[in-house]
Amino acid sequence: MARNNSTVNLAPKMLRSIEEMRAFEAVRPLGLVPTMGYLHEGHLSLVRRAREECAAVVLSIFVNPMQFGPQEDLERYPRDEGRDLALAREAGVDAVFAPEAREMYPAGFTTEVRVRGIEDVLEGAARPGHFAGVATVLAKLLNIVGPDRMYMGQKDAQQAVVTRRMISDLDFPARLVVCPTVREPDGLAMSSRNVYLGPEERAAAAVLYRALTTARRSGNRSPEILEEVVRETVLTEPLVELEYVSASDAGSLGPVTADTREVLLSLAARAGKTRLIDNVVIG
Amino acid sequence: MARNNSTVNLAPKMLRSIEEMRAFEAVRPLGLVPTMGYLHEGHLSLVRRAREECAAVVLSIFVNPMQFGPQEDLERYPRDEGRDLALAREAGVDAVFAPEAREMYPAGFTTEVRVRGIEDVLEGAARPGHFAGVATVLAKLLNIVGPDRMYMGQKDAQQAVVTRRMISDLDFPARLVVCPTVREPDGLAMSSRNVYLGPEERAAAAVLYRALTTARRSGNRSPEILEEVVRETVLTEPLVELEYVSASDAGSLGPVTADTREVLLSLAARAGKTRLIDNVVIG
C-alpha cells in the first residue's frame, strides 16, 4: 500500500479544527503519528512505518499542555511549524492535524483518563500527572482522527505501555505500533529537547546510551547489578547527572520477577538544565 | 427511519463478546441504549425514542461492577435476562450486547475515566467512585458499539451531565439524548430497584416526587427554600428518610448563581434498605 517514493508529494492538508479533522475522509487503513512537533528522524521513522502499513497517514502536532507539570518546559518547548510541514510533506503525510490548545481544551474541560498503577512509576513518579495528560490527549486524538493504527517510538517506553493499556482497557478500535528508538551516530536518542543542549552537554549526553548498552552487554539480568552498572558509567561524566535508573518488567513496569520475559532498563538524567530519558529492553 | 410498528419483530441478535459486538454491521444512524437490565417502562421509552431517530438500535445489558461501592447492592441487583430479552424483542431492538464482567474487565484492567468536579457532588459525594465507574464503562461501550446516538433517562440527571461532559471532552463521535423520567401513576420514578420495596415502603415512596413537585409549584427559585420544602414534605412520611436534597445549577451541578438558567432539584432517600433517587428541573 506504500506509494511510490519517486512521486512528488503533495502538501499535506492542514487541519486546525476538530471539525475539519473529522471531515477529512481518509482511505483505510489510516495511520496516526501523534507528535508535539519539532520533528526529527525519530518521528520520520514513524511516518515511514505508517506509510508502509497504511493507505493514509495523519500526523498530529500538538504541544499538549496537560502533560507538562507547572515547573516544566511547556513555554520554551521548541516549535517550528514551517519546518515541520516541509518535513511532513517530504515524508508523504496526507494530513497534518495541528489544533490550538483552546480547541483541544475549551473552557469547562475537566475529564481525565488515568491508567492507574502504571502511570505512577518511573517517569510518572518524576512527573506527577504527566501520563494522565498523555492518556487524555491520546484518547481525544483517537476519537478525533479515528485511526486504525497509531505509531509511537520505543524511546518513550512507559508512554507506550500506558497507551497500549488504555487502548485495550477502553476498547479503542485501534492498534498501537511501537517502533525502535532512532539514535544519533554517538548513540544519543533523538529528541526534540536535544536542541536545548550546549555543545559540551551534547557530547557528554552520549554517556546515557553507553551506560545502558554497557549494562545490557554485561549479560547480567539482576535489576540491582544492571542499575549499578548504569550508575557507575554515568558517574564518569561530570556534566550529566542521573535522576533515576530502573530495571523493571517491560510489560507491567512493576518489579522484575521470575516471570519477567523482558527487562526494561530505563533512566532519566539532566545535562545542565535539560532533562533526557532513554531505555533499552533486555530480552 | 422508524420501522412499521405492526411488523412482527425478529428476536434481537444476542452478542456476548466484544468481538461479536464489533462484528455486528449496523445500519446508520445507530442508537445505543445502555442499561443494567431488569428493564422497565423507562428503559423502553429510551428504546422507542432510539427507534424513532435511528436505523438500528443496540441495547446493552451489563450490571457494571465498577460503579458499585463495596457496601452497595451489586450482588443482589435484580436480574432477569429472559424477561429482558422478550421486552427487547417486543420493543424492536436489533441487537442486545450482554457481556460478562470478565469480558469487560479482564485481569490487569486499570484504566479509569474521571470527570473531575462534576463527579464529586450529589450522588458522587454519596457514592465515591460511582461516576468513575459510569464514565469508564460508557467510554468502553461507545468504543465497542460505536453508536451515533446514546440514550439515557433524566432520572439519572447527574449521570447525564457527567456523560455529556465526557463525550464532549474526549471527543467521542456520538450525541447524548436525554429522555424524560417515566413515572408510576402515583409519581414514583421508575427504577429497577423499586422491586426491593415492600408494599408499605412502595406506597410511602410516592412522597419523593410529591415533595419535588410541591417545591417546584411553590414558584420560588431560592435554593434554600426549595430544599426546605422538600425536607418538610418528606418528613411527613415516616417510612422514608431523606439522605440529601440539593438545588444546583442544572448545567454545571455547581451552586445556583445569577447566571443559572435551570435549577436541578435532586434528592436521594431511603425507604427501608432501598435507596431511591429522583429530581425535577425548574426552568
Side-chain angles (χ1 to χ4, degrees), chain B residues 177-245:
Chain B
V177 180
V178 180
C179 302
T181 303
V182 178
R183 299 179 179 283
E184 303 286 355
D186 66 356
L188 179 66
M190 297 233 180
S191 165
S192 304
R193 290 186 170 102
N194 291 350
V195 73
Y196 296 151
L197 297 167
E200 295 189 349
E201 292 165 347
R202 168 63 194 81
V207 76
L208 297 176
Y209 186 57
R210 209 158 63 234
L212 291 169
T213 49
T214 303
R216 181 168 57 189
R217 274 200 303 263
S218 74
N220 206 301
R221 279 189 53 158
S222 145
E224 295 73 22
I225 295 178
L226 290 168
E227 292 168 2
E228 190 51 32
V229 171
V230 169
R231 262 187 227 105
E232 283 175 10
T233 311
V234 176
L235 267 179
T236 64
E237 180 46 79
L239 289 181
V240 176
E241 193 180 355
L242 196 62
E243 189 179 298
Y244 69 80
V245 57

Side-chain angles (χ1 to χ4, degrees), chain B residues 1-3 45 47-55 57 151:
Chain B
M1 265 165 300
R3 283 160 299 186
S45 75
V47 172
R48 280 193 292 272
R49 175 76 174 270
R51 280 201 51 183
E52 283 167 19
E53 298 181 352
C54 302
V57 177
Y151 294 82

Side-chain angles (χ1 to χ4, degrees), chain A residues 19-65:
Chain A
E19 198 184 334
E20 286 171 317
M21 184 67 241
R22 285 198 202 281
F24 176 74
E25 296 201 1
V27 282
R28 296 278 168 179
L30 172 63
L32 168 64
V33 180
T35 81
M36 300 210 299
Y38 214 73
L39 303 181
H40 52 64
E41 194 50 38
H43 300 114
L44 298 177
S45 76
L46 303 178
V47 171
R48 279 194 290 273
R49 175 76 174 270
R51 280 201 51 182
E52 283 167 20
E53 298 181 351
C54 300
V57 177
V58 171
L59 176 88
S60 66
I61 299 178
F62 181 58
V63 182
N64 174 33

Side-chain angles (χ1 to χ4, degrees), chain B residues 33-104:
Chain B
V33 180
T35 81
M36 300 210 299
Y38 214 74
L39 301 181
H40 52 64
E41 194 51 37
H43 301 112
L44 299 176
S45 75
L46 302 180
V47 172
R48 280 193 292 272
R49 175 76 174 270
R51 280 201 51 183
E52 283 167 19
E53 298 181 352
C54 302
V57 177
V58 171
L59 177 88
S60 66
I61 299 177
F62 181 58
V63 182
N64 173 32
M66 193 173 165
Q67 72 188 68
F68 285 79
Q71 306 304 321
E72 294 182 2
D73 58 345
L74 173 62
E75 291 312 320
R76 66 183 193 115
Y77 195 87
R79 291 163 170 88
D80 188 343
E81 194 177 271
R83 183 171 157 279
D84 286 346
L85 293 183
L87 289 169
R89 175 182 189 151
E90 209 175 304
V93 163
D94 297 282
V96 171
F97 177 51
E100 297 284 341
R102 65 175 175 275
E103 175 77 1
M104 294 291 270

Side-chain angles (χ1 to χ4, degrees), chain A:
Chain A
M1 266 166 298
R3 284 160 297 183
N4 187 325
N5 280 317
S6 66
T7 311
V8 174
N9 290 319
L10 295 173
K13 283 212 174 184
M14 189 69 195
L15 309 167
R16 296 278 182 195
S17 73
I18 292 169
E19 198 184 334
E20 286 171 317
M21 184 67 241
R22 285 198 202 281
F24 176 74
E25 296 201 1
V27 282
R28 296 278 168 179
L30 172 63
L32 168 64
V33 180
T35 81
M36 300 210 299
Y38 214 73
L39 303 181
H40 52 64
E41 194 50 38
H43 300 114
L44 298 177
S45 76
L46 303 178
V47 171
R48 279 194 290 273
R49 175 76 174 270
R51 280 201 51 182
E52 283 167 20
E53 298 181 351
C54 300
V57 177
V58 171
L59 176 88
S60 66
I61 299 178
F62 181 58
V63 182
N64 174 33
M66 193 173 166
Q67 72 189 67
F68 286 78
Q71 307 305 321
E72 293 181 4
D73 58 345
L74 173 61
E75 293 311 321
R76 66 182 194 116
Y77 195 86
R79 292 163 168 90
D80 188 343
E81 196 178 87
R83 184 171 155 276
D84 287 347
L85 292 184
L87 289 169
R89 176 181 188 152
E90 208 175 306
V93 164
D94 297 281
V96 171
F97 178 51
E100 297 284 340
R102 64 174 176 274
E103 174 78 2
M104 294 291 271
Y105 300 113
F109 187 98
T110 187
T111 302
E112 191 173 73
V113 179
R114 307 284 305 269
V115 182
R116 292 167 302 165
I118 302 173
E119 69 181 5
D120 302 326
V121 298
L122 304 173
E123 280 302 282
R127 305 181 67 187
H130 173 66
F131 287 113
V134 169
T136 304
V137 81
L138 290 175
K140 288 173 66 71
L141 288 170
L142 286 167
N143 280 335
I144 295 166
V145 179
D148 301 287
R149 293 164 187 231
M150 183 161 70
Y151 294 82
M152 276 184 188
Q154 172 62 23
K155 187 199 150 227
D156 296 306
Q158 187 173 7
Q159 173 175 286
V161 174
V162 166
T163 304
R164 178 164 283 136
R165 186 84 248 169
M166 193 262 296
I167 288 176
S168 164
D169 282 356
L170 296 186
D171 305 294
F172 280 100
R175 194 161 85 73
L176 181 67
V177 180
V178 180
C179 303
T181 302
V182 178
R183 299 180 179 281
E184 302 287 355
D186 66 356
L188 178 66
M190 296 232 182
S191 165
S192 305
R193 288 186 171 103
N194 291 352
V195 72
Y196 296 150
L197 297 167
E200 293 189 349
E201 293 165 349
R202 169 63 194 82
V207 76
L208 298 175
Y209 186 56
R210 209 158 63 234
L212 292 168
T213 49
T214 304
R216 181 168 57 190
R217 275 200 303 263
S218 75
N220 206 301
R221 278 189 52 157
S222 146
E224 294 75 21
I225 294 177
L226 289 168
E227 293 168 2
E228 190 52 31
V229 171
V230 169
R231 261 186 228 106
E232 283 175 11
T233 311
V234 176
L235 268 179
T236 63
E237 180 45 79
L239 289 180
V240 176
E241 194 182 354
L242 196 63
E243 189 179 298
Y244 70 79
V245 58
S246 171
S248 46
D249 185 291
S252 69
L253 302 187
V256 174
T257 69
D259 295 335
T260 294
R261 285 176 42 237
E262 292 184 315
V263 174
L264 176 70
L265 185 61
S266 63
L267 60 78
R270 285 188 190 267
K273 288 181 176 172
T274 305
R275 192 170 181 279
L276 301 168
I277 62 171
D278 201 353
N279 69 84
V280 294
V281 173
I282 302 173

